[in-house]
Amino acid sequence: QVQLLESGGGLVQPGGSLRLSCASSGIIFSIYTMGWYRQAPGKQRELVASTTSGGFTKYADSVKGRFTISRDNAKNTVYLQMNSLKPEDTAIYYCNADFGGFSYWGQGTEVTVSS
């Protein structure tokens, strides 16, 4: 059974930082493209950042220079370091694992950026 468990969300002031983690089980983590998506109230889910098995990374324009995605294949975990957070980063953040037509999602972790 595949499980993706996100953690690290919470309430943070504008300009602050958070580090999200997504621990996976039930998949061969190292071969999967891992991604972080987010969905704000009333908006569609959007890609925030992704990292391939080879370490290639991609970011949404809105987070470039502020967010960093990384993966630890030994721990089957992907991270999202979020710095200089803005109120518009408020959303539920979801972890995704994708390989060969198989795509799995976590339950999400809520991030609220507010003073």
Side-chain angles (χ1 to χ4, degrees), residues 17-60:
S17 298
L18 283 175
R19 188 194 195 203
L20 306 184
S21 299
C22 172
S24 70
S25 60
I27 59 172
I28 305 174
F29 179 84
S30 62
I31 68 173
Y32 275 73
T33 292
M34 299 301 297
W36 286 98
Y37 290 72
R38 68 186 179 187
Q39 188 166 16
K43 295 189 177 180
Q44 289 189 327
R45 191 173 297 190
E46 63 174 356
L47 175 67
V48 176
S50 64
T51 176
T52 68
S53 59
F56 177 80
T57 58
K58 181 168 65 176
Y59 295 92

Side-chain angles (χ1 to χ4, degrees), residues 7 18 28 30 35 38 40 42-43 49 58 64 68 73-75 81 84 91 99 102-103 111 113-114:
S7 61
L18 283 175
I28 305 174
S30 62
R38 68 186 179 187
K43 295 189 177 180
K58 181 168 65 176
K64 282 181 182 176
T68 303
N73 289 340
K75 295 183 178 179
Q81 178 66 44
S84 302
F99 176 76
F102 294 91
S103 186
V111 172
V113 185
S114 175

